[in-house]
C-alpha cells in the first residue's frame, strides 16, 4: 500500500513526487508514456525561472524526472485503465497491475483539442499534426498552416518559422489570447503570414495534405492555402474521462478543487493543467504539485 499515488508525470506530477518523498511518504508515480507531459514536447521554454537562457522542454523534463527518482519515488510506465477513488483505499488499475494508496494526486493534464473539420481526422500523420515540436521537422523548407490564437499556436508558428519556408497563422479573430510578446515576435517574423478573422473549413488532399480551405468571417471570402502541413493548436481538453462521476468537474471537464488542491473526494487531490485554474503554465503546475503533495501529507485516516 502506497501513502500516495500520483497519476501523471508532467511538471505537476513530478513536483508532487519530489515533495511527497521529501516528506517521507511512500510514493508511486504512474505514467503512460514518458515523463514531462506537454513540457517534454515543448521546443524551448523561456518563462520558467532559474534559466538565464532558454531551456528545451525535453531537458527540463529530464531534470525533473531525475530529481523525482533521486527523491525515492517508485515510477512505472503503465496506462491507467480505471480509478476507484471513493473508498478509504484508493485503487488504480493499469494495463499491468492494480495499485492501492491512501491518497491520490490526479495530475494527468490535458490533451490537444480537435477541430473536427473535414479531412482533419483522415490526414493525421499525412500532414495533420497536433505537435509542432514533434512533427515540424517533416516540413522543413515547406509551407504549413498553424490554426489557433493562443500561446501554443503562436509558439508553434515561431518554432516552424525557423526552418519552414512559410507559415500561415490562421486565427478566427483578430485579437490574440497569446501573450503580446509572442504575437509581436510573430509579427516581426518575415515568413509568418497572419490569416485573421478566418475559419478553417477543411483539410484537402488525396493521400497527403495539399491545402487548407479557410473563410474570412467578415468578408465571407474563401481562400485555399497551399500547404503540406496543418498544425492544430486550438486548445486543450482535460484528461478527466476516467474520473467522471467520482470527482467534481467544471462545465469544461476540469477538476474543481480548493486552494490546497483538494477535490471534493476525501484524500484525492489534483495538480496542474487538469484543475480549474486561471493560468496553465509549467510554473503554476509545479506550484500545484508542491501544494497537493503537502496536502496529501495530512491525508485523513
Ligand atoms: P488556448 O489558450 O485555449 O487557445 C486556444 C486557441 O484556439 C484560441 O485562440 C481559440 O480562439 C482557438 N480556438 C478554440 N476553439 C476554436 C475553434 N473551434 N475554431 C477556431 N479556433 C479555435 O490553448 P493553448 O494555446 O493550447 O494554451 C493552453 C494553455 O497552456 C493556456 O493557458 C496557455 O497560456 C498555456 N500555454 C503556455 C505557454 C507558455 O507560456 N509558453 C505555451 C503553450 C501553452 P479564441 O481566442 O477566439 O477563443
Amino acid at each position: 500500500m502506497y501513502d500516495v499515488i500520483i497519476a501523471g508525470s508532467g511538471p505537476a506530477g513530478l513536483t508532487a513526487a519530489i515533495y511527497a518523498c521529501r516528506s517521507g511518504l511512500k510514493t508511486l508515480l504512474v505514467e503512460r508514456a514518458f515523463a514531462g507531459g506537454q513540457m517534454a514536447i515543448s521546443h524551448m521554454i523561456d518563462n520558467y525561472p532559474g534559466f538565464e537562457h532558454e531551456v528545451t522542454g525535453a531537458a527540463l523534463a529530464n531534470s525533473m524526472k531525475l530529481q523525482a527518482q533521486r527523491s525515492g519515488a517508485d515510477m512505472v510506465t503503465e496506462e491507467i485503465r480505471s480509478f476507484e477513488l471513493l473508498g478509504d483505499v484508493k485503487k488504480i488499475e493499469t494495463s499491468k497491475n492494480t495499485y492501492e494508496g491512501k491518497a491520490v494526486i490526479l495530475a494527468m493534464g490535458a490533451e490537444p483539442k480537435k477541430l473536427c473539420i473535414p479531412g482533419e481526422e483522415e490526414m493525421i500523420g499525412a500532414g495533420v499534426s497536433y505537435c509542432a515540436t514533434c512533427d515540424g521537422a517533416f516540413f522543413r523548407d515547406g509551407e504549413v498552416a498553424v490554426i489557433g490564437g493562443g500561446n501554443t499556436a503562436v509558439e508553434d508558428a515561431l518554432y516552424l518559422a525557423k526552418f519552414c519556408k512559410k507559415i500561415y497563422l490562421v486565427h478566427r479573430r483578430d485579437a490574440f489570447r497569446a501573450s503580446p510578446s509572442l504575437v509581436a515576435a510573430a509579427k516581426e517574423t518575415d515568413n509568418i503570414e497572419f490569416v485573421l478573422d478566418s475559419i478553417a473549413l477543411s483539410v484537402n488532399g488525396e493521400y497527403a495534405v495539399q491545402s487548407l480551405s479557410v473563410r474570412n468571417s467578415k468578408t465571407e471570402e474563401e481562400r485555399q492555402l497551399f500547404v503540406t502541413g496543418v498544425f492544430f493548436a486550438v486548445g486543450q481538453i482535460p484528461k478527466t474521462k476516467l474520473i467522471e462521476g467520482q470527482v467534481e468537474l467544471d462545465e469544461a471537464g476540469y477538476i474543481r478543487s480548493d486552494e490546497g488542491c483538494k477535490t471534493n473526494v476525501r484524500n484525492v487531490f489534483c495538480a496542474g493543467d487538469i484543475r480549474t485554474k486561471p493560468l496553465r503554465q509549467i510554473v503554476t503546475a509545479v506550484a500545484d504539485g508542491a501544494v497537493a503533495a503537502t496536502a496529501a501529507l495530512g491525508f485523513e485516516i
Side-chain angles (χ1 to χ4, degrees), residues 55 64 108 116 138 149 156 160 173 234 241 256 271 278:
V55 58
M64 285 190 196
M108 295 90 81
C116 300
F138 295 119
D156 284 357
L160 293 161
R173 298 188 291 142
V234 291
K241 200 111 206 105
R256 286 193 207 279

Side-chain angles (χ1 to χ4, degrees), residues 144-155:
V144 299
V146 176
I147 306 175
N151 280 323
T152 304
V154 182
E155 277 189 358

Side-chain angles (χ1 to χ4, degrees), residues 47 113 115 148-153 155 171-173 177 233-236 280-281:
N47 57 357
K113 196 167 96 179
L115 209 49
N151 280 323
T152 304
E155 277 189 358
H171 179 34
R172 64 180 171 184
R173 298 188 291 142
R177 219 173 265 277
V234 291
Q236 309 283 321
R280 294 194 171 85
Q281 302 270 291

Side-chain angles (χ1 to χ4, degrees), residues 192-232:
I192 298 180
E193 178 181 330
F194 284 61
V195 182
L196 301 180
D197 297 313
S198 293
I199 312 289
L201 299 175
S202 63
V203 181
N204 317 306
E206 204 148 334
Y207 301 107
V209 172
Q210 290 173 322
S211 69
L212 175 73
S213 301
V214 299
R215 183 176 58 233
N216 185 299
S217 53
K218 289 193 172 146
T219 63
E220 293 296 320
E221 194 185 318
E222 288 194 14
R223 181 177 170 194
Q224 290 249 85
L225 306 175
F226 292 97
V227 293
T228 53
V230 181
F231 292 87
F232 287 79

